[in-house]
Amino acid sequence: MNIPTLESLDVRGKQVLLRCDLNVPLKDGVITDDGRIRASLPTISYLVEQGASVVITAHLGRPKGERKPELSLAPIAIRLSELLGQSVKFSPEIVGESVLAQAQALTAGEVLLLENIRYEAAETSKDESERLVLATALASYADVFVSDGFGAVHRKHASVYDVAKLLPHAAGYLVAAEVEVLKKLTDNPERPYGVVLGGAKVSDKIGVISNLLDKVNVLAIGGGMLFTFLAAQGKEIGTSLVEVESIPTVLELLGRAKELGVDILLPTDIVVAPAFSAESPATLVSADAIPHDQMGLDIGPESAAAFASAIKSCQTVFWNGPMGVFEFAAFAAGTKTVAQALTEVPGISVVGGGDSAAAVRKLGFNDSDFGYISTGGGASLEYLEGKELPGLIALQN
Ligand code: ADP
Ligand code: MG
């Protein structure tokens, strides 16, 4: 893959359109984890230092073409200003004469953030000509395009894919760094290679499991998705999260793993509770004895210790998806033990996924404790599935 680097693009004194991933978690209008904003800073700072006038486009959540006020990027502009140490202008409009005028009025080193690009239905449209109209408007604000919104590069969207065809372009530092790490996980990883998967939806992760199965030495499964595995093995899972329609695929994967000699680690103990709530009383049970009226909300300490010891014996580890409902303190221990083990991996440890990244920060770890914390959940998973990512394809020369 030959993607032009930021240094190879002439940005000095130019109008630059920059796609960032500023899709941070918000609770009641307050940013709960600004990791993605921080990860965008190196490229923005470089462009500012180069005397470029920077127009940033980004999305927040899934407004589906509607102006949902709770998904406005206005609070993000404020946080970005603080972190960047300079004022960031904000345009509530995305398309139109006023935006063009505002973009053209930027002086060297000034930054303008446009409102949530997904307020425009054309951004995510399946109709290429609709996307092209929006991409053309975005391109009119700039001389060159820098793609740095890694979390969206798996999307064929106007501000990610189509605009790259209209302007000279390059990958920003974040996209370049993410791709370099993902290459280490796919092209000849140092062995033993372990993958730990958790999170809510097994269907999100089946493609990755399938593609990585013949590449890994150990695969550990926790989180809500583990119950579909237990159900596939015929176990009682009570009221735990389950995707019945994925059971046949899971059985097939378990069979293939056996043939390949890959160790699939499943929990032996589970923390259960009668309801999905922070106050629900937790009990530890064997994975073979989940009460029919309770749900599994975390892996137990025995399982977490087994996962941790497998992780620490690996040279390369990729982890995506919390082991339990870490948002509730009573069900965060499994995630914490696994995160701790990742910090002790002698080789490279990679944390992928928005919730996983938020979890390790919430649990008190520092970014520097890990080899790398990816900003992209879906994007890194699709890369690891072996899929071609439209936002990267569009950058290739
Ligand atoms: P990521 O964003 O890191 O890719 P996911 O979005 O796949 O992770 O999953 C994260 C969510 O999974 C968290 O909100 C967490 O509460 C939830 N989760 C983990 N374990 C369970 C469980 N046992 N039951 C229900 N939800 C769970
Ligand atoms: Mg998530």
Side-chain angles (χ1 to χ4, degrees):
M1 213 186 286
N2 191 13
I3 297 175
T5 62
L6 190 48
E7 278 84 9
S8 73
L9 188 70
D10 184 12
V11 297
R12 187 162 277 280
K14 294 271 170 71
Q15 292 277 134
V16 177
L17 177 72
L18 172 64
R19 178 55 155 106
C20 286
D21 175 11
L22 305 176
N23 189 27
V24 292
L26 288 165
K27 201 171 180 215
D28 307 322
V30 179
I31 298 166
T32 53
D33 177 23
D34 62 8
R36 283 177 165 164
I37 306 178
R38 290 176 186 275
S40 305
L41 295 175
T43 297
I44 302 173
S45 300
Y46 171 80
L47 293 173
V48 166
E49 281 159 25
Q50 294 289 312
S53 304
V54 189
V55 179
I56 301 179
T57 177
H59 75 278
L60 185 64
R62 296 185 172 179
K64 302 199 169 139
E66 277 175 54
R67 283 200 161 253
K68 297 215 168 117
E70 69 276 17
L71 294 178
S72 169
L73 282 176
I76 313 297
I78 296 168
R79 187 78 189 111
L80 179 58
S81 298
E82 289 165 7
L83 291 170
L84 195 60
Q86 77 175 61
S87 124
V88 170
K89 298 190 158 135
F90 182 71
S91 167
E93 300 302 322
I94 298 153
V95 177
E97 285 303 315
S98 69
V99 193
L100 183 61
Q102 235 185 318
Q104 284 170 343
L106 293 173
T107 57
E110 279 194 317
V111 180
L112 169 69
L113 174 63
L114 306 184
E115 182 55 287
N116 192 342
I117 187 72
R118 290 192 189 168
Y119 280 1
E120 296 285 335
E123 166 70 355
T124 58
S125 174
K126 295 259 183 290
D127 182 336
E128 189 155 355
S129 58
E130 276 178 26
R131 292 200 314 269
L132 194 61
V133 173
L134 179 57
T136 304
L138 292 173
S140 74
Y141 309 145
D143 308 309
V144 298
F145 172 60
V146 175
S147 174
D148 211 27
F150 179 74
V153 291
H154 58 315
R155 304 290 186 203
K156 205 173 202 174
H157 290 170
S159 70
V160 177
Y161 176 78
D162 304 271
V163 77
K165 297 183 176 170
L166 302 176
L167 291 172
H169 53 258
Y173 291 131
L174 177 62
V175 163
E178 295 270 3
V179 170
E180 194 186 311
V181 168
L182 287 165
K183 275 190 183 151
K184 284 191 194 158
L185 297 178
T186 44
D187 307 352
N188 223 349
E190 245 199 277
R191 295 188 175 277
Y193 178 15
V195 171
V196 186
L197 295 174
K201 285 174 76 184
V202 75
S203 49
D204 283 353
K205 322 270 160 131
I206 278 176
V208 180
I209 302 175
S210 181
N211 193 50
L212 291 182
L213 208 52
D214 59 358
K215 299 181 180 70
V216 300
N217 303 101
V218 187
L219 178 64
I221 309 273
M225 65 187 276
L226 81 90
F227 301 100
T228 302
F229 279 75
L230 296 186
Q233 293 178 328
K235 290 184 176 149
E236 166 72 56
I237 55 160
T239 56
S240 306
L241 211 63
V242 67
E243 285 173 50
V244 177
E245 60 288 357
S246 294
I247 289 179
T249 319
V250 164
L251 280 172
E252 203 183 296
L253 289 170
L254 288 170
R256 252 181 71 207
K258 206 167 189 178
E259 276 168 34
L260 290 163
V262 172
D263 214 1
I264 294 199
L265 275 181
L266 284 167
T268 49
D269 57 349
I270 304 286
V271 180
V272 298
F276 188 90
S277 99
E279 292 78 31
S280 201
T283 322
L284 181 64
V285 299
S286 156
D288 293 317
I290 298 176
H292 70 93
D293 55 353
Q294 304 230 357
M295 59 177 71
L297 295 177
D298 194 11
I299 61 171
E302 183 184 89
S303 314
F307 284 18
S309 113
I311 289 166
K312 286 189 269 187
S313 72
C314 288
Q315 281 297 331
T316 306
V317 181
F318 172 71
W319 170 36
N320 170 271
M323 294 292 102
V325 185
F326 72 92
E327 295 92 337
F328 305 150
F331 309 105
T335 302
K336 188 158 190 182
T337 302
V338 161
Q340 178 62 39
L342 255 92
T343 68
E344 294 167 32
V345 170
I348 177 171
S349 60
V350 180
V351 181
D355 291 297
S356 310
V360 298
R361 294 188 186 114
K362 184 174 176 194
L363 295 171
F365 294 92
N366 294 314
D367 288 24
S368 57
D369 295 337
F370 303 91
Y372 191 75
I373 300 189
S374 173
T375 56
S380 38
L381 287 178
E382 288 200 16
Y383 189 102
L384 294 175
E385 278 174 45
K387 286 191 184 157
E388 294 202 312
L389 309 186
L392 297 183
I393 299 286
L395 296 178
Q396 285 175 26
N397 282 339

